[in-house]
Amino acid sequence: MDFALTEEQRMIQDTARRLAEKEIKPVAAALDAEIRFPDEICRRMAELGLLGGTVSPEYDGSGMDYVSYALALMEISKACASCGCILATHNSLFCYPVSAFGTEEQKKKYLAPAARGEKIGCFGLTEPGAGSDAGGVRTKAVEDGDSWILNGGKIFITNGMAASLCCLAALTEPDQGARGISSFIVDLDNTPGFSRRPMENKLGIKASGTAELIFEDARIPKENLLGVRGNGLRQMLTTLDGGRIGIASQAVGVGKAIIEEAIEYAQTREQFGGPIAKFQAIQFKLADMATQMDAAELLILRAAWRADNGLSYEKEAAMAKMYGSDVAMHAAVEGIQILGGYGYFNEYPMERHLRDIKITQIYEGTNEIQRLVIARNLLKKK
Ligand SMILES: Cc1cc2nc3c(=O)[nH]c(=O)nc-3n(C[C@H](O)[C@H](O)[C@H](O)COP(=O)(O)OP(=O)(O)OC[C@H]3O[C@@H](n4cnc5c(N)ncnc54)[C@H](O)[C@@H]3O)c2cc1C
């Protein structure tokens, strides 16, 4: 067994780290306070090949492996959770399904500009009545000559305010329930009948452009069906398996920031005649946080390695997402505790970390759903 990164993996990690430390971290608090989508940072991530991270060079992507992608995502998320979320959604939830299920024509037309970072992608699955139970999708797609006519709406869509492209789930056979769901590529900039509304009053990841997507007799070309008609839910769930490596990386990235900042504070804040780091109560917190975050990172790298080597990774990705987000949430609570009253104010980033990290226990399948996925895999008949 070899724990060392390859030269290429280290190079991608360093590139992401430099961008994160020099250009993203200094603006993270302002992006959060102003609820501002970071167009400029997206442009920089595009220039460095991160927006087309795992996409094949054939379609203008960087062709990086999943381990590199996870390492880069941890670095970006460490500086700004919103930026990590934007990057992960674009890569894992738009570029991946088009790469995996798209036709050659769709890849040239939609994947390549997304991989170049000229167009931002989003993923439209969730609806008011379809959350954990994704099979409850009610948005309809009806054939009409050379088009599909979409009617319905999606909520909570990350990147939704900035995206030009969307991978969307809609019912093509309403009488067949979950088996009647298909997926589509929607060109959001050129679809009459489409509109969007911001959903900004949220706890954290405030710069991630969350939106409601509305389709009222929205007409898209017939050839924008993605993959096999009726296989949409399966395709979306497969997409989310990979996406969970991304969520876990976001969580651990923020978790690493929390630990670094808690250590620095504990070594400089003095009470009872010395730094609070001399108290065992503080040391034990730091030891637990660091051990749990390392374990979570190893779970991520295992899942990513399996994906890179063509092995199944549904269970491993769910474990990494569930454990990584749970321990990062715990670290955020302990981080505030270490900073005491100062942690409660936005003078320090710790309160933002606490607000930002909560979502990683919820999106791309809540942690209750991850436990169901893990248990289903454990109990599977051989
Ligand atoms: C900020 C944000 C960004 C998001 N981005 C996107 C996006 O880009 N695209 C997209 O499609 N969606 C997105 N989502 C939606 C997200 O994936 C859903 O919110 C999530 O899957 C949970 O669905 P729900 O909110 O409807 O909760 P519900 O499904 O109503 O769950 C409520 C509670 O019940 C529990 N529960 C439900 N079913 C079970 C069960 N069978 N067993 C045990 N417990 C259960 C849940 O774990 C949870 O605790 C986003 C959400 C947020 C908040």
Side-chain angles (χ1 to χ4, degrees):
M1 173 165 289
D2 186 0
F3 279 93
L5 300 178
T6 64
E7 206 178 313
E8 195 184 340
Q9 289 164 345
R10 246 198 336 269
M11 202 186 73
I12 292 169
Q13 184 184 41
D14 286 346
T15 303
R17 183 176 294 152
R18 275 196 303 277
L19 174 73
E21 285 179 358
K22 289 206 180 103
E23 299 178 49
I24 302 183
K25 195 172 168 189
V27 298
L31 292 174
D32 172 72
E34 294 161 20
I35 315 184
R36 179 159 51 86
F37 191 87
D39 294 312
E40 181 52 34
I41 289 170
C42 286
R43 265 192 296 279
R44 289 289 294 131
M45 292 198 290
E47 279 166 20
L48 295 173
L50 296 173
L51 280 184
T54 51
V55 177
S56 156
E58 212 183 325
Y59 304 104
D60 296 341
S62 303
M64 62 177 76
D65 61 13
Y66 263 84
V67 167
S68 303
Y69 170 57
L71 294 167
L73 207 39
M74 280 187 249
E75 295 299 331
I76 303 293
S77 305
K78 190 173 167 209
C80 171
S82 288
C83 296
C85 165
I86 291 164
L87 177 61
T89 300
H90 178 83
N91 262 294
S92 299
L93 301 187
F94 180 78
C95 292
Y96 171 80
V98 182
S99 293
F101 309 114
T103 61
E104 187 59 26
E105 222 167 75
Q106 288 171 338
K107 289 181 196 177
K108 284 194 181 129
K109 188 165 177 192
Y110 298 113
L111 179 60
R116 292 193 297 269
E118 292 162 7
K119 296 192 173 191
I120 296 292
C122 70
F123 177 80
L125 177 60
T126 304
E127 298 181 5
S132 299
D133 180 10
V137 163
R138 289 289 166 268
T139 295
K140 284 193 184 61
V142 176
E143 279 180 288
D144 182 41
D146 285 345
S147 313
W148 294 94
I149 309 288
L150 301 173
N151 274 291
K154 300 287 170 180
I155 54 167
F156 302 158
I157 306 306
T158 299
N159 292 355
M161 287 312 293
S164 297
L165 298 169
C166 179
C167 173
L168 184 88
L171 268 177
T172 43
E173 279 77 28
D175 52 329
Q176 289 181 34
R179 285 206 187 88
I181 297 172
S182 302
S183 41
F184 298 88
I185 301 171
V186 184
D187 179 346
L188 299 176
D189 295 335
N190 295 297
T191 297
F194 164 71
S195 58
R196 54 185 125 201
R197 266 199 295 261
M199 297 182 77
E200 287 176 339
N201 294 325
K202 58 185 157 76
L203 183 68
I205 53 164
K206 291 192 173 220
S208 60
T210 313
E212 180 182 356
L213 309 183
I214 303 145
F215 300 92
E216 291 164 314
D217 288 331
R219 190 176 283 273
I220 62 168
K222 191 78 162 278
E223 61 270 19
N224 281 25
L225 173 74
L226 178 63
V228 178
R229 182 171 177 162
N231 266 10
L233 188 61
R234 182 93 306 274
Q235 291 171 190
M236 291 263 169
L237 296 180
T238 302
T239 297
L240 290 174
D241 285 339
R244 286 165 187 156
I245 297 175
I247 307 296
S249 305
Q250 287 170 47
V252 169
V254 177
K256 287 179 177 201
I258 291 169
I259 293 169
E260 250 179 49
E261 289 161 21
I263 290 172
E264 194 186 332
Y265 187 85
Q267 287 176 325
T268 48
R269 168 72 174 166
E270 297 201 351
Q271 287 292 278
F272 299 97
I276 59 168
K278 75 175 186 218
F279 301 123
Q280 217 174 45
I282 301 290
Q283 292 174 7
F284 281 13
K285 283 190 201 305
L286 292 171
D288 286 349
M289 288 153 71
T291 306
Q292 289 166 354
M293 217 55 65
D294 271 14
E297 185 170 1
L298 290 173
L299 284 176
I300 293 170
L301 295 177
R302 179 182 66 163
W305 178 86
R306 288 183 69 90
D308 287 333
N309 286 279
L311 300 166
S312 64
Y313 57 90
E314 183 190 49
K315 180 185 72 178
E316 290 76 11
M319 285 176 165
K321 192 272 189 193
M322 179 196 77
Y323 185 75
S325 60
D326 280 353
V327 297
M329 187 71 221
H330 178 249
V333 171
E334 292 292 62
I336 300 262
Q337 196 68 16
I338 291 170
L339 267 66
Y342 296 92
Y344 205 72
F345 287 84
N346 64 4
E347 184 185 334
Y348 287 91
M350 205 58 93
E351 68 87 33
R352 172 164 48 89
H353 297 327
L354 179 75
R355 290 187 288 103
D356 281 342
I357 205 68
K358 180 61 197 167
I359 192 60
T360 60
Q361 293 182 307
I362 296 172
Y363 61 10
E364 295 200 29
T366 64
N367 281 4
E368 288 78 8
I369 296 301
Q370 303 312 308
R371 286 174 170 87
L372 292 180
V373 171
I374 296 163
R376 189 179 64 221
N377 274 275
L378 294 175
L379 300 170
K380 211 161 33 188
K381 289 216 168 65
K382 293 259 156 41

